[in-house]
Amino acid sequence: MDEIKSIIHLIIGFLVLFICLIAGRLLASIIPGLLSPSVIGMIIFFLLLKTGLVNDKYVRKTSLFFVNNLVLFFLPPLVGIVLIDFNSIYGQLPAIIISAAISTILVMVVTGRLSEKYIENNN
Amino acid sequence: MIIENRILAEIAFASLTVLAYILSNFIYKKSKSLIFHPVFTSLITILLMLKLVNISPNEYVDNNKAMRFLLDISVVALGYLLYEHYDLLKQNLKAILFSQFIGSVVGILSVTLIAYLLGADNRMIATLAPKSVTTPIAVGLSADNGGFVPITVSIVILCGIFGAISGPFILKWFKITHPLSKGIALGSSSHGIGTSKAVEMGLKEGAAGGVSIAITGVFTSILIKILSFFLS
């Protein structure tokens, strides 16, 4: 019985995510602008959970499955890397690596220090 | 070899992808080293398998619409992280929102400016701009602005790994000691891979990392849209 229940939860969870994505696409086409359809879908999903319109026990399993296996779903676009003409971007490799590395450290330090300051001031 | 039937091709390529992913995860769990991150081993496995049956990678990339759809679904699922850690978000709302907003601004401006100064072209800059956000969101942002999506994916992952490895030292060096700040720093700069490092440090760190993935994703999306509006 428990197995059937968990399969039903997985399916309900998927349907809820699907509906949120469709709603996100609709909203994105009505109000063209700031956010991509899937990010709008994410916000709708959060609001549905927060307002209690969707009970978290039905979506927990499916959501965590997707969150824990993100890598699986972006493998196809990644494979496109072998289709890129590397001769055309070879000269830009130093720019790519240096900018990405420095920026990653900057973001880490800035967000870490700022939040630390805020938390210290509050306590 | 070319598979004529599109639906059959979708099913075959999706199965191939899942198979490569399961295998790579197995290797990663055994090795416990970020060098064997499933993303690289999966990529190599998929390419080898395609070579073996003589299918061009082009064919594979073009016939993976179902996976592309699931990628969008996985972005929606990130909303669950916000819900799960809502209390933490609410109690530290200002600290989290403020630091993430400034972090997103700094992330986009620093990577685009440095890349520009070092001679990257516009297309490469669009490719790099979303480098701090979780891959499924970065894919959309890069594609919208004409970037090289596969390079975006690679750079996002590499930044994640770089952040996760260098993170503990940088946090120490800059005296970032509060559990929430550690999680925020790792999640904002190196998304899911950084957050997995934060999870190792503790529950609070991991939760803050999870919240940061979602919030940084939203802020960066908005900022890149605004930036591309003014630049176009």
Side-chain angles (χ1 to χ4, degrees):
Chain A
M1 253 339 254
D2 275 355
E3 274 165 23
I4 297 172
K5 217 178 183 178
S6 79
I7 290 171
I8 292 173
H9 280 187
L10 276 175
I11 295 170
I12 295 175
F14 186 79
L15 284 176
V16 171
L17 292 173
F18 177 69
I19 292 166
C20 290
L21 180 60
I22 298 298
R25 285 188 180 170
L26 274 175
L27 272 177
S29 65
I30 298 168
I31 332 161
L34 289 181
L35 288 168
S36 64
S38 53
V39 176
I40 299 177
M42 172 182 108
I43 295 169
I44 295 173
F45 182 48
F46 166 70
L47 291 175
L48 285 178
L49 283 166
K50 194 62 216 127
T51 53
L53 285 169
V54 168
N55 190 326
D56 62 350
K57 77 175 184 204
Y58 293 113
V59 294
R60 183 184 158 78
K61 262 206 166 119
T62 319
S63 303
L64 291 181
F65 170 78
F66 276 99
V67 171
N68 293 331
N69 292 287
L70 284 179
V71 169
L72 172 61
F73 306 107
F74 57 70
L75 286 174
L78 178 65
V79 170
I81 194 137
V82 292
L83 302 172
I84 290 172
D85 173 20
F86 265 89
N87 288 326
S88 66
I89 62 153
Y90 193 73
Q92 300 185 63
L93 274 181
I96 297 171
I97 293 165
I98 294 169
S99 64
I102 294 178
S103 178
T104 300
I105 294 178
L106 273 178
V107 173
M108 198 183 290
V109 173
V110 166
T111 52
R113 281 307 323 163
L114 280 177
S115 58
E116 184 105 7
K117 268 258 136 52
Y118 244 101
I119 294 165
E120 275 169 13
N121 289 347
N122 278 352
N123 295 334
Chain B
M1 189 168 86
I2 289 170
I3 303 174
E4 291 294 341
N5 189 322
R6 295 286 130 197
I7 297 169
L8 208 67
E10 284 275 338
I11 296 170
F13 291 146
S15 318
L16 166 69
T17 314
V18 173
L19 201 70
Y21 178 69
I22 292 172
L23 186 75
S24 306
N25 258 313
F26 178 75
I27 296 171
Y28 180 55
K29 288 212 174 92
K30 285 270 164 208
S31 73
K32 286 186 178 132
S33 161
L34 276 174
I35 303 164
F36 289 102
H37 192 275
V39 83
F40 301 120
T41 32
S42 298
L43 172 66
I44 293 164
T45 313
I46 291 170
L47 289 173
L48 283 175
M49 285 182 180
L50 289 174
K51 190 91 190 159
L52 205 69
V53 288
N54 204 15
I55 292 175
S56 87
N58 224 334
E59 195 76 9
Y60 171 84
V61 174
D62 287 347
N63 289 292
N64 255 314
K65 299 210 169 55
M67 290 296 256
R68 173 67 228 222
F69 168 75
L70 292 175
L71 186 67
D72 278 348
I73 291 277
S74 65
V75 176
V76 178
L78 288 173
Y80 192 82
L81 294 180
L82 279 183
Y83 170 76
E84 198 177 27
H85 306 303
Y86 183 72
D87 288 340
L88 182 112
L89 175 65
K90 202 175 150 193
Q91 282 156 16
N92 304 281
L93 193 68
K94 273 188 192 159
I96 291 175
L97 291 185
F98 180 65
S99 60
Q100 306 270 291
F101 180 75
I102 303 292
S104 301
V105 173
V106 168
I108 298 167
L109 289 185
S110 60
V111 77
T112 49
L113 275 178
I114 296 170
Y116 174 77
L117 291 175
L118 293 176
D121 60 27
N122 284 345
R123 191 167 179 201
M124 193 53 74
I125 287 171
T127 303
L128 293 173
K131 67 109 192 50
S132 285
V133 303
T134 182
T135 318
I137 296 180
V139 165
L141 289 172
S142 176
D144 284 351
N145 293 300
F148 296 100
V149 174
I151 296 186
T152 302
V153 176
S154 318
I155 292 298
V156 169
I157 312 272
L158 287 174
C159 284
I161 293 175
F162 176 64
I165 293 174
S166 64
F169 303 101
I170 291 171
L171 294 178
K172 212 172 176 183
W173 193 276
F174 286 91
K175 299 192 173 62
I176 298 161
T177 51
H178 195 280
L180 288 181
S181 301
K182 286 181 176 172
I184 290 171
L186 285 166
S188 320
S189 61
S190 31
H191 50 93
I193 303 172
T195 300
S196 61
K197 189 87 219 166
V199 170
E200 284 173 22
M201 295 175 174
L203 274 180
K204 270 195 167 174
E205 286 89 336
V211 168
S212 304
I213 296 175
I215 308 257
T216 296
V218 174
F219 280 153
T220 304
S221 301
I222 296 173
L223 290 166
I224 288 184
K225 287 270 163 73
I226 294 173
L227 198 67
S228 65
F229 177 77
F230 280 112
L231 291 180
S232 62

